[in-house]
Structure formats: structure tokens, C-alpha cells
Amino acid sequence: MKRVGDPTSKNKVICLHGGPGMDDSYFLPYLQAPFQSYELVLYTQGEASNGHDINALVAELDNLVDQFTGNRVFLLGHSFGGALALEYLARHGKKIAGLILCSWLTFDT
């Protein structure tokens, strides 16, 4: 997990990359400027759960979100990350202040 931007900001944007199997490296050139006053949280999906099962990924994301209790947490999902964000929202939507989807996809569970 990498954290960039303003660490004192109460606004945290968790960036959910495409994949699974990709990493977050492609986000930074596009996100640093528009989110200067936020803290971006970039992490590789499946790192903690050692799997790409959607239930494991949602649980892993929930553990990450819980680290930011007391802040406004936004999810930014790209491609598969968008599907993960939507699934997370369906299960734990009250923990999230907002959702940004870009080139997202859906799947049936």
C-alpha cells in the first residue's frame, strides 16, 4: 500500500486498480493533480487475502477502510476495481462517503 498526497486530510481516496493481477502504478500520473488536497491510498488487491475471490477482496478492502475511521473515505474504481467498489458498496455502503467509477465493469455473483 502506498499513500500519497496530504496525510492530514480527512478525505481519503482508496484507488482500486484494474486486474486482478495488476498493480496501482498507473494511477499516479493521472490522480495527483486533481486530488492534491486529498490523501490517495493505493494498494494492490489480493495482497493481504492471497487470493482473487471477490469475498476475500471485499473483506480485505473492508479491513483497509476500517483503518480510516473518522475520515471521509471515497472509493475510486477502475475496470475490475469498479466492480469491486460496487460489491463493497452493496455490503458496506454506510462506511463510504462517495464513489468514483472510471471504465468500470460488472459481474454476476
Side-chain angles (χ1 to χ4, degrees), residues 10-85:
K10 290 290 188 183
N11 296 308
K12 311 296 182 186
V13 179
I14 298 176
C15 301
L16 306 173
H17 61 76
M22 293 181 69
D23 66 25
D24 54 45
S25 62
Y26 66 93
F27 275 129
L28 282 181
Y30 304 102
L31 299 180
Q32 279 184 296
F35 290 99
Q36 288 178 32
S37 62
Y38 291 68
E39 182 175 29
L40 298 175
V41 179
L42 304 117
Y43 84 107
T44 302
Q45 300 161 19
E47 213 166 55
S49 64
N50 294 319
H52 299 300
D53 173 75
I54 192 66
N55 294 316
L57 293 173
V58 168
E60 177 181 88
L61 180 55
D62 193 42
N63 287 332
L64 179 60
V65 168
D66 285 346
Q67 292 178 33
F68 300 108
T69 300
N71 294 283
R72 291 172 28 108
V73 176
F74 300 86
L75 298 180
L76 186 152
H78 171 249
S79 189
F80 179 81
L84 175 57

